[in-house]
Amino acid sequence: MSYELYFVQRSPNKIRKEKLLSFFQSNLWQVDTRAEQRDAFEVIYKNPLSKTTFQLNILDNNPGEQKEDGFYFSGILFSVEYAKPTFFAYEAMLILEEVCQAFDLYVINPQDYEIGGDSKPKNMNADAFTASWKENNKIKIHNVYEEMGVTLPYLPEDIGMAIWQYHLNKRTVTDRLGPAYVAPDYLFYQEHRSGVVKRAIAWTEWQAMVFPPCDYIIISQSLDYISYQALRESFGDYLQKINGPIDPLYTFNLQYADDVQRIYENLKPSGQLIHTHKKVMLSECVDVPDERKIHNEAAGTLDTHASSQQPKGKTTNQFFKQYRQSHTGENSENEEKQTTSSTKSKKGHDADNMNSSDVLEKNAAFSRENDVVLKRQTVKIKDLTFSSFVKWNIFLLLFIGILAGLITFGLSYMFSEQFNVTVLSMTFDSMTVGIASIFVIPLLFMILGFIASIILYVPLWLGLRVVNGLRLKGAFEIEPEI
């Protein structure tokens, strides 16, 4: 089941294939050129963060031969599937706005007749065409419920849109907090009884987390979980609210990592998802409920503490523009205007909510240009890369070798006139030996360091595996590429 659109233009001239291919040169597009047709190809859009996907087909046609009401058929066709969360369609329509602006295209919607439209060429408007998709999607889904008798995983639209915004822009949160923090992806579990989809995040081993609104926090590989409300009650004032793509977002300060870790290690599960839910993919969810199965009380079981609200000061469209700029480097004039207005509204939002600033100020001592310093903390070392292990051994022995070489040179200089050294019938004075020692001795020490690293690394690596990590307490500095 697909929602389809086709595109028309004012000009009778075919858009050049090279121009189209140049536009689609991005890692979000997959181009399939059809060798048997000179100007025909297929383009598939896939966003790995939001999971959104849709398809464009470019036909090998002559627009001048297909004129109607002053418009020429461009040969470009679009399709996006039904039975998806609404944000799939919305993201697709936002991308189509870019396509239409780039090539001066208009849109004809063949589904118009199903919802009372006129099927005439229109300017591409993401909100209007998303609304059209929603109306047609609702019809298709209800037909599935009534004719096939199946219940599709139900995820309310407002929650789906918040998930979309979070997945697209969660990287901005960890960029600000530093590399010690993890902003997890959502996982999705459908209740057996109601068909409602619940949001979960995985926290199955100790690490500094960012907590988006959710229903469950999974704390073990066997799907033991605590509820979002239990998280807030267990960690209390250690949780601090921060600004982000959705509201609320919580994390904790690294100053209190020891205390938070102790609480984490003593958490009591609220239940086990494996008995009451099944895991589903986000792309399988719909936001059209099956009224036969979902009752008001079932839909109302979503944790009120985990409700998702769109952040003040930014529209959903602006959030997508921000994502496009940060991930694809697009800087069109329209996007610059959007960014300017977005920045102005963000300033007002930051003035209203200073919790994020407080956390960042407290973490300033721990974050310096993407490095994180942990003072009086316990760090668990679970693995060790060979390259870093070798590097520091070689550096250490090189330093020792340089010192040894300088000492040898000094001694040779002191006695340079008192003795000579004969090797293989060649005579060297002690000054020559001393100078050579500055280079030879450090080199020998470096070679010894490399050999020692190989001998020591294997038992150390195996030892960390056997004891499941080594705990060290002190002051540590975490660097992105050590």
Side-chain angles (χ1 to χ4, degrees):
M1 297 188 297
S2 296
Y3 178 88
E4 299 177 348
L5 302 171
Y6 63 92
F7 299 86
V8 295
Q9 58 191 43
R10 293 286 190 183
S11 170
N13 299 319
K14 179 75 172 176
I15 302 172
R16 290 188 301 109
K17 182 178 180 179
E18 293 75 14
K19 188 176 181 182
L20 288 166
L21 289 174
S22 176
F23 180 86
F24 297 125
Q25 294 304 310
S26 161
N27 58 2
L28 296 178
W29 298 98
Q30 297 178 5
V31 179
D32 179 16
T33 303
R34 299 173 182 176
E36 68 274 11
Q37 293 181 301
R38 186 185 62 181
D39 291 326
F41 60 96
E42 180 181 87
V43 183
I44 298 176
Y45 174 92
K46 289 185 177 181
N47 190 328
L49 297 179
S50 66
K51 314 306 180 187
T52 299
T53 183
F54 64 85
Q55 181 174 311
L56 289 174
N57 283 290
I58 290 81
L59 306 181
D60 185 8
N61 73 312
N62 181 0
E65 298 175 354
Q66 298 169 286
K67 182 179 180 181
E68 184 175 343
D69 296 331
F71 290 90
Y72 300 89
F73 176 48
S74 68
I76 301 176
L77 304 170
F78 160 85
S79 65
V80 63
E81 291 183 352
Y82 291 119
K84 302 290 182 186
T86 293
F87 73 77
F88 270 59
Y90 188 52
E91 181 175 340
M93 303 309 171
L94 289 170
I95 296 294
L96 287 187
E97 280 189 350
E98 298 176 10
V99 175
C100 289
Q101 290 171 6
F103 300 107
D104 195 20
L105 298 174
Y106 299 83
V107 187
I108 291 180
N109 183 0
Q111 286 87 192
D112 263 0
Y113 70 91
E114 296 186 29
I115 56 173
D118 57 16
S119 296
K120 291 184 178 180
K122 299 178 180 65
N123 287 313
M124 184 65 212
N125 179 279
D127 291 327
F129 279 92
T130 301
S132 168
W133 179 91
K134 284 175 61 177
E135 287 295 320
N136 285 279
N137 181 61
K138 187 175 181 180
I139 294 170
K140 304 295 185 185
I141 298 301
H142 278 307
N143 289 340
V144 169
Y145 290 154
E146 293 171 5
E147 297 175 8
M148 301 180 64
V150 298
T151 298
L152 300 176
Y154 171 60
L155 182 70
E157 181 182 343
D158 60 336
I159 293 178
M161 294 297 284
I163 289 168
W164 176 61
Q165 292 178 185
Y166 169 75
H167 277 166
L168 287 182
N169 293 292
K170 70 186 181 74
R171 192 181 73 181
T172 62
V173 178
T174 52
D175 284 349
R176 287 162 49 224
L177 294 178
Y181 287 88
V182 175
D185 286 337
Y186 277 111
L187 304 172
F188 303 94
Y189 289 86
Q190 182 186 17
E191 282 187 337
H192 294 322
R193 179 178 58 86
S194 67
V196 173
V197 173
K198 302 291 189 177
R199 300 158 295 169
I201 61 172
W203 195 20
T204 56
E205 62 179 27
W206 166 248
Q207 54 190 335
M209 292 283 285
V210 174
F211 298 98
C214 62
D215 301 291
Y216 307 124
I217 295 92
I218 298 172
I219 58 174
S220 76
Q221 298 294 338
S222 56
L223 299 186
D224 293 322
Y225 71 87
I226 61 171
S227 68
Y228 190 78
Q229 184 172 355
L231 173 80
R232 290 167 57 90
E233 292 172 352
S234 298
F235 292 93
D237 292 338
Y238 288 114
L239 288 175
Q240 294 178 308
K241 190 176 181 182
I242 59 174
N243 291 328
I246 59 175
D247 185 52
L249 283 179
Y250 290 97
T251 190
F252 50 82
N253 195 288
L254 289 176
Q255 287 178 319
Y256 311 115
D258 277 349
D259 297 329
V260 175
Q261 183 173 357
R262 278 192 291 270
I263 297 173
Y264 169 80
E265 291 174 349
N266 290 284
L267 285 173
K268 302 299 182 185
S270 305
Q272 199 172 34
L273 291 176
I274 196 170
H275 300 303
T276 55
H277 297 69
K278 73 171 182 177
K279 189 175 183 179
V280 295
M281 304 299 293
L282 181 57
S283 59
E284 298 173 328
C285 300
V286 300
D287 44 37
V288 179
D290 184 354
E291 303 296 346
R292 303 166 308 162
K293 194 167 185 178
I294 300 178
H295 305 288
N296 290 333
E297 63 270 23
T301 57
L302 292 173
D303 194 333
T304 55
H305 290 288
S307 61
S308 300
Q309 301 174 3
Q310 185 167 303
K312 300 174 183 177
K314 280 192 178 182
T315 65
T316 304
N317 189 306
Q318 287 171 328
F319 263 94
F320 188 71
K321 295 293 184 182
Q322 174 184 323
Y323 155 75
R324 291 286 286 164
Q325 285 189 329
S326 64
H327 286 73
T328 64
E330 295 177 1
N331 291 300
S332 66
E333 292 182 4
N334 290 334
E335 286 178 329
E336 288 177 0
K337 293 177 182 177
Q338 290 283 358
T339 305
T340 302
S341 63
S342 171
T343 303
K344 290 178 180 178
S345 54
K346 182 180 186 298
K347 289 180 180 177
H349 178 45
D350 288 344
D352 294 336
N353 186 359
M354 297 302 293
N355 289 324
S356 177
S357 300
D358 294 341
V359 173
L360 293 177
E361 287 174 8
K362 291 177 181 177
N363 282 337
F366 304 101
S367 298
R368 292 291 184 271
E369 297 179 356
N370 291 328
D371 295 347
V372 174
V373 178
L374 307 178
K375 296 182 179 179
R376 296 185 300 279
Q377 303 295 328
T378 299
V379 172
K380 186 175 183 181
I381 301 176
K382 299 188 69 175
D383 199 0
L384 195 64
T385 62
F386 180 70
S387 60
S388 64
F389 187 72
V390 170
K391 177 174 68 175
W392 293 115
N393 279 333
I394 290 177
F395 284 168
L396 176 61
L397 288 175
L398 175 62
F399 176 72
I400 295 173
I402 291 173
L403 289 179
L406 290 174
I407 292 171
T408 304
F409 173 77
L411 293 173
S412 299
Y413 182 78
M414 291 173 59
F415 302 105
S416 59
E417 297 181 357
Q418 299 183 24
F419 64 87
N420 294 326
V421 177
T422 301
V423 179
L424 298 177
S425 301
M426 294 183 291
T427 301
F428 301 91
D429 61 33
S430 54
M431 176 61 75
T432 305
V433 174
I435 294 173
S437 67
I438 295 178
F439 301 99
V440 174
I441 293 177
L443 178 61
L444 290 175
F445 271 79
M446 286 179 63
I447 295 172
L448 288 174
F450 182 77
I451 296 172
S453 297
I454 296 175
I455 296 172
L456 294 175
Y457 176 75
V458 174
L460 181 59
W461 181 81
L462 290 174
L464 288 173
R465 288 287 190 277
V466 172
V467 301
N468 192 27
L470 178 66
R471 290 183 181 274
L472 301 176
K473 191 164 187 175
F476 304 93
E477 184 170 330
I478 301 174
E479 297 181 352
E481 296 180 359
I482 186 166

